[in-house]
Amino acid sequence: PDHPIELNLPQEELFVLGDSRRIHQVVANLLANARTHTPDGTQITVVAKQNLSETIIEVTDSGPGLSKSDQERIFERFFRAENAMKYVPDGNGLGLYVAKYIIDNHGGKLYFESKENAGTTFFIELKKK
């Protein structure tokens, strides 16, 4: 309730060939990270779109972003970004590692763009097959 969330979803259904529970797990993880690793009041935006070959989901926050050194290690097992420890002192550093593993095993891509003090966007790209 302390983070405004904006959803930009298409009118038509989105289709992805894969394990819906695991894909849901990834999206839920990205949303939880955006909520727990940013200050209250930080805007979160979710965009989902589909073209002829793939479905793309974007989760963006307008929070503090990731430092350059954190960006290099963000998908490593047990890695916790500096900002993560500031807001959630008891995490285990597995969420993004598992999320990337799931998307990789669906033949997709999980990547991000981040700027310090300007927020972070995570992108999920999944082929429609």
Side-chain angles (χ1 to χ4, degrees), residues 48-59:
K49 51 193 170 190
Q50 197 163 58
N51 58 38
L52 293 175
S53 62
E54 64 189 359
T55 298
I56 301 163
I57 302 169
E58 303 171 11
V59 178

Side-chain angles (χ1 to χ4, degrees), residues 54-122:
E54 64 189 359
T55 298
I56 301 163
I57 302 169
E58 303 171 11
V59 178
T60 301
D61 69 65
S62 60
L66 297 163
S67 70
K68 290 286 186 194
S69 61
D70 286 347
Q71 290 182 38
E72 294 172 6
R73 300 186 61 205
I74 199 69
F75 291 117
E76 288 180 16
R77 186 170 32 172
F78 302 119
F79 177 73
R80 298 195 60 225
E82 187 177 321
N83 280 340
M85 292 181 271
K86 182 177 181 181
Y87 297 106
V88 184
D90 61 348
N92 61 22
L94 286 173
L96 289 173
Y97 172 81
V98 171
K100 185 158 180 17
Y101 178 84
I102 290 168
I103 297 302
D104 286 351
N105 280 287
H106 277 80
K109 296 179 192 171
L110 175 61
Y111 61 97
F112 66 94
E113 293 176 0
S114 184
K115 292 182 181 172
E116 286 187 79
N117 302 312
T120 302
T121 300
F122 279 88

Side-chain angles (χ1 to χ4, degrees), residues 3-51:
H3 290 73
I5 297 177
E6 178 182 339
L7 295 174
N8 295 316
L9 306 174
Q11 294 291 349
E12 66 277 357
E13 280 189 271
L14 298 174
F15 177 77
V16 173
L17 187 60
D19 184 334
S20 63
R21 286 182 280 169
R22 294 292 71 86
I23 294 168
H24 177 271
Q25 178 182 353
V26 172
V27 174
N29 174 271
L30 296 177
L31 287 169
N33 282 353
R35 179 181 53 81
T36 58
H37 300 307
T38 61
D40 289 349
T42 300
Q43 175 73 39
I44 299 169
T45 304
V46 178
V47 176
K49 51 193 170 190
Q50 197 163 58
N51 58 38

